[in-house]
Amino acid sequence: MSTAPAEAALVITWEVANRFPLFRNEDHFRALAGIYAGLPLADRQNQPVMALEVELEKRADARQLGKAFGDPATIWRFGWASALARSTCFSETNRGHWACKLTNGEDYVGARKADILASVREAPAGRECQWLVNGAVAAATACGAAQIRLAGIPIDAVFTLSVKADGVVLGEAAEQIIRPITVLGMGDSFASGEGNPDKAAVLGTDVNNFQESSHLPGESGWRGRLRLYPLRDKHNFDKSFGIGALWINQQCHRSLYSHQLKAALAIALEAPHVSVTYLGYGCTGAEVFEGLLGYWTARDDVPKDRRGKVGQYDASPQLMRALRDLCPRPLKGFNRFSPPPRFSWESDLKRCAAFKRKPDILLLSIGGNDIGFSRVIAGEALVASSNFLSLRRAAEKLWIKGVDPITFQDATAMESSLAERYRILGQAIERLLGLNASQVIQTGYPQMLHTGTGTCPHAPNGEAGTAGMDLHEIFRISKPTTGQESVTFVDGLNAKIRDLGSDIGWQVVTGFAAEFKGHALCQPGMADGSNAPDGLRFPVSNPTGQRWIPFSPPAWQAYRPRQRWFVTPNDAFLTANTMRTLAGSGGDPHMNGRAQPVLAATLSGSFHPNALGQAAMGDGVLKALRQKLALPDPSAPAP
């Protein structure tokens, strides 16, 4: 193909239009890409996940996110993800990604074509340009057009892109390719994004004391004033709890705020020639044998299939869910959503003959539940008084099994069991997903109680620590040793995970743990230094519920950045407000029962990273992802 010498210097640039098709609405990705492109270069290189999260929430608060995110007032209150949660390629029935069709008719998993946006620099004005793909005219437009869409470009196939005007080739880009990248995310509540629903529950100003559940701080005895709790909007004790929180997967409390999803999204934002297929399966409460390799109920109050009802229930192992998405249909044996009488991953899970899209990387967060870390929290942050024994047992249902609390020393002793669990998991990942150890990125766990200069279990006057957990008398950190024991335990656990992961060949990411120092569970204030409600104090109502101090529940902004990077019980109640009436699931059969405020805190993800904490973890994972995928750091303004 001849090229006119005088015009051969024109440079063609292009990018995949929607590089993160988990967001089916391309406008959502383009809006995020535009905001990302405006971040300072240093942020895009070093902390793009955190910088993007902060910028999104700043714009949401200022009502400046744009029409792609819908009603500014709604986004202001509930966060940017609330506009995207019901337009993803994860099925609303909680059954996976396999059924999703993109707007171009392609399957989400294994898509073969994508649209690109192309342009030429210093294009000649006043001329008509033809765009050619592999020598065939694909489109024509004015040469000075900012961008042109070229549809149906094959993925993972080399192509040549050229521009011609008046029969003369102005520029050519040979040996181009849309690189497919498939990232799986698996693991526990830290993987799922527990504590960060995509849309917060809608609280009102109506009140109830939930059968005299708890005294106000400083009150006690039969004459002591009782806490009046805000109820959800549309709450009706005879029919429903009102407008609850929204998750992309209700059963697993899986969220768009997950650090695994955010790291995969960052790859799509910074690499213009890729198409990232992200398949997330993280599930709250998961362990190696119950969750990844075996069935796990998770939030068992999710409705099962019933005649005339949409099926939502899926307790199948995360590896089975991945095979359900990755293997061509029809499937054999992968659609068992409820636990069968007998199940063995070794005999019942088979690798399919060929994947629709071979996975490149597995992001993994697992181990904390296996050694009972949640049981430690139950022992350290819930009072053991017999007055609250039934409530304590209900609260421990946050960790589903409701077994007895343990100490930090007990959990440390259980770390020895991780070696065998990780070894078996590694074998299963390689056998079923075709991923060798070098393709697994395992994360450790962040520091929760390190303030940067000390720890935060106790108030300055020596009383039990209740900062961020004063919504109920049952929550408090009473032991003066809890803070330092927590720091020592997390450091030791991360060291153990690093050693075990290295022995297997996994890359283990734990460096982000230190970033949490100074952002501890008990630390007050907003990230921007403003006087907005930070939630470290729970709102107090007068007896009629007409006046609230220090803020009214409807004014709560779930995702406005705060100084702390963890979800407190107060935050959890105000944001996710998960309650239960299902018998046998740790719930209270009465909608106004004494356990409901405690469940609304514990079942809602307290003591988990909030959106900023997940972002900090995401930046740590992103560095490893870039290395594994051989992708460079951003070095110039994004296109």
Side-chain angles (χ1 to χ4, degrees):
M1 184 179 291
S2 63
T3 303
E7 298 178 305
L10 292 185
V11 177
I12 296 174
T13 61
W14 64 274
E15 60 176 309
V16 178
N18 185 358
R19 302 191 290 279
F20 199 70
L22 179 71
F23 299 149
R24 295 184 64 195
N25 184 342
E26 184 183 311
D27 290 344
H28 288 153
F29 177 78
R30 299 310 308 170
L32 292 170
I35 295 170
Y36 167 84
L39 298 175
L41 176 59
D43 282 345
R44 287 191 280 112
Q45 289 176 329
N46 302 314
Q47 54 170 12
V49 181
M50 178 65 77
L52 180 62
E53 178 63 34
V54 171
E55 184 64 21
L56 285 167
E57 291 310 326
K58 284 172 58 179
R59 294 192 185 201
D61 182 55
R63 297 165 174 78
Q64 295 176 347
L65 266 183
K67 63 181 181 180
F69 291 90
D71 181 7
T74 300
I75 301 301
W76 168 82
R77 182 173 175 183
F78 300 120
W80 64 269
S82 62
L84 282 62
R86 280 296 174 258
S87 59
T88 74
C89 259
F90 182 82
S91 166
E92 291 184 32
T93 61
N94 290 345
R95 292 285 175 76
H97 311 80
W98 57 268
C100 182
K101 290 284 187 181
L102 303 178
T103 54
N104 64 358
E106 292 287 314
D107 289 338
Y108 171 59
V109 184
R112 297 162 298 174
K113 296 179 181 180
D115 293 358
I116 67 173
L117 304 174
S119 62
V120 289
R121 298 175 186 170
E122 301 179 2
R127 298 171 69 181
E128 183 83 2
C129 278
Q130 290 182 322
W131 285 85
L132 295 86
V133 178
N134 293 331
V137 177
T141 187
C143 293
Q147 277 187 327
I148 186 169
R149 177 180 291 269
L150 302 175
I153 306 300
I155 295 174
D156 202 22
V158 175
F159 65 94
T160 296
L161 192 61
S162 53
V163 179
K164 182 187 290 187
D166 301 325
V168 178
V169 174
L170 303 180
E172 180 178 278
E175 296 185 349
Q176 305 298 296
I177 192 169
I178 298 175
R179 179 183 174 184
I181 295 175
T182 302
V183 179
L184 310 184
M186 294 186 182
D188 53 22
S189 52
F190 282 67
S192 72
E194 172 68 279
N196 301 282
D198 299 291
K199 183 177 180 181
V202 183
L203 297 183
T205 56
D206 289 341
V207 296
N208 186 267
N209 65 20
F210 287 99
Q211 296 179 354
E212 303 183 352
S213 170
S214 180
H215 288 96
L216 285 167
E219 301 284 337
S220 62
W222 66 274
R223 289 187 175 181
R225 291 183 301 156
L226 297 169
R227 167 78 67 186
L228 295 177
Y229 294 91
L231 300 178
R232 294 185 201 164
D233 191 33
K234 312 296 184 185
H235 188 115
N236 184 321
F237 282 122
D238 295 326
K239 296 179 181 179
S240 73
F241 283 121
I243 303 175
L246 178 68
W247 305 81
I248 56 172
N249 184 301
Q250 178 187 344
Q251 190 172 1
C252 285
H253 278 191
R254 193 180 312 128
S255 163
L256 295 177
Y257 291 100
S258 160
H259 72 271
Q260 294 179 341
L261 185 149
K262 288 184 174 188
L265 172 60
I267 290 293
L269 290 169
E270 67 187 31
H273 296 173
V274 305
S275 178
V276 177
T277 300
Y278 175 74
L279 303 172
Y281 307 101
C283 196
T284 191
E287 302 177 11
V288 170
F289 295 133
E290 291 182 282
L292 271 70
L293 299 180
Y295 279 79
W296 175 240
T297 302
R299 299 295 178 226
D300 55 358
D301 53 343
V302 175
K304 298 178 176 63
D305 287 342
R306 290 176 292 167
R307 186 179 299 276
K309 299 292 184 179
V310 175
Q312 294 183 314
Y313 183 85
D314 183 5
S316 56
Q318 291 180 38
L319 265 71
M320 179 187 286
R321 300 184 194 202
L323 293 170
R324 192 184 300 152
D325 283 334
L326 292 167
C327 297
R329 303 183 73 81
L331 302 175
K332 293 184 179 180
F334 293 162
N335 289 340
R336 298 181 297 243
F337 303 114
S338 297
R342 295 184 182 83
F343 176 81
S344 167
W345 74 267
E346 293 177 289
S347 59
D348 293 337
L349 292 183
K350 307 290 185 184
R351 180 175 171 180
C352 46
F355 293 125
K356 290 187 288 186
R357 177 69 58 76
K358 190 178 186 306
D360 296 288
I361 294 289
L362 169 62
L363 305 181
L364 185 63
S365 170
I366 201 70
N369 293 319
D370 294 75
I371 64 169
F373 185 38
S374 55
R375 294 167 61 190
V376 177
I377 297 174
E380 299 291 331
L382 301 174
V383 290
S385 167
S386 59
N387 293 334
F388 297 111
L389 184 58
S390 62
L391 293 184
R392 180 184 172 118
R393 287 173 176 163
E396 288 160 10
K397 282 291 184 179
L398 164 63
W399 304 287
I400 307 299
K401 296 177 182 177
V403 292
D404 293 335
I406 60 175
T407 67
F408 285 109
Q409 292 73 26
D410 294 331
T412 300
M414 294 172 64
E415 289 177 5
S416 60
S417 67
L418 289 178
E420 182 68 1
R421 291 177 179 232
Y422 282 2
R423 182 188 67 80
I424 293 173
L425 178 59
Q427 291 177 345
I429 290 169
E430 183 165 9
R431 173 181 146 189
L432 297 173
L433 300 177
L435 292 168
N436 61 46
S438 68
Q439 294 173 283
V440 177
I441 300 173
Q442 158 83 341
T443 54
Y445 294 89
Q447 290 288 354
M448 187 190 306
L449 299 179
H450 202 306
T451 64
T453 58
T455 58
C456 60
H458 277 55
N461 60 8
E463 295 178 357
T466 58
M469 54 181 73
D470 61 339
L471 72 96
H472 199 285
E473 293 169 272
I474 196 173
F475 294 108
R476 69 185 68 171
I477 299 177
S478 302
K479 299 177 186 175
T481 58
T482 295
Q484 187 54 55
E485 286 185 353
S486 171
V487 171
T488 301
F489 173 79
V490 172
D491 284 344
L493 176 58
N494 283 340
K496 185 70 171 180
I497 291 174
R498 283 196 304 270
D499 290 343
L500 295 176
S502 297
D503 290 343
I504 297 171
W506 296 347
Q507 181 165 351
V508 179
V509 177
T510 60
F512 60 79
E515 299 292 327
F516 280 73
K517 295 177 181 179
H519 302 283
L521 182 78
C522 65
Q523 291 190 279
M526 306 300 291
D528 61 4
S530 70
N531 292 322
D534 73 355
L536 213 62
R537 285 179 55 199
F538 196 77
V540 174
S541 169
N542 68 10
T544 64
Q546 296 176 350
R547 183 170 179 270
W548 296 85
I549 297 173
F551 63 92
S552 179
W556 175 251
Q557 292 175 261
Y559 293 111
R560 185 166 179 180
R562 293 168 172 81
Q563 183 65 24
R564 64 182 172 278
W565 289 357
F566 267 88
V567 176
T568 68
N570 289 3
D571 299 336
F573 182 101
L574 293 166
T575 300
N577 204 256
T578 302
M579 298 185 184
R580 279 184 170 173
T581 57
L582 184 65
S585 70
D588 190 316
H590 303 289
M591 296 187 74
N592 64 338
R594 294 186 74 229
Q596 294 298 356
V598 179
L599 294 171
T602 52
L603 290 171
S604 300
S606 51
F607 310 110
H608 286 79
N610 61 18
L612 294 185
Q614 288 284 346
M617 296 179 71
D619 278 323
V621 169
L622 176 61
K623 294 178 176 65
L625 256 182
R626 287 171 176 163
Q627 177 188 6
K628 293 291 185 184
L629 297 171
L631 292 171
D633 295 352
S635 58

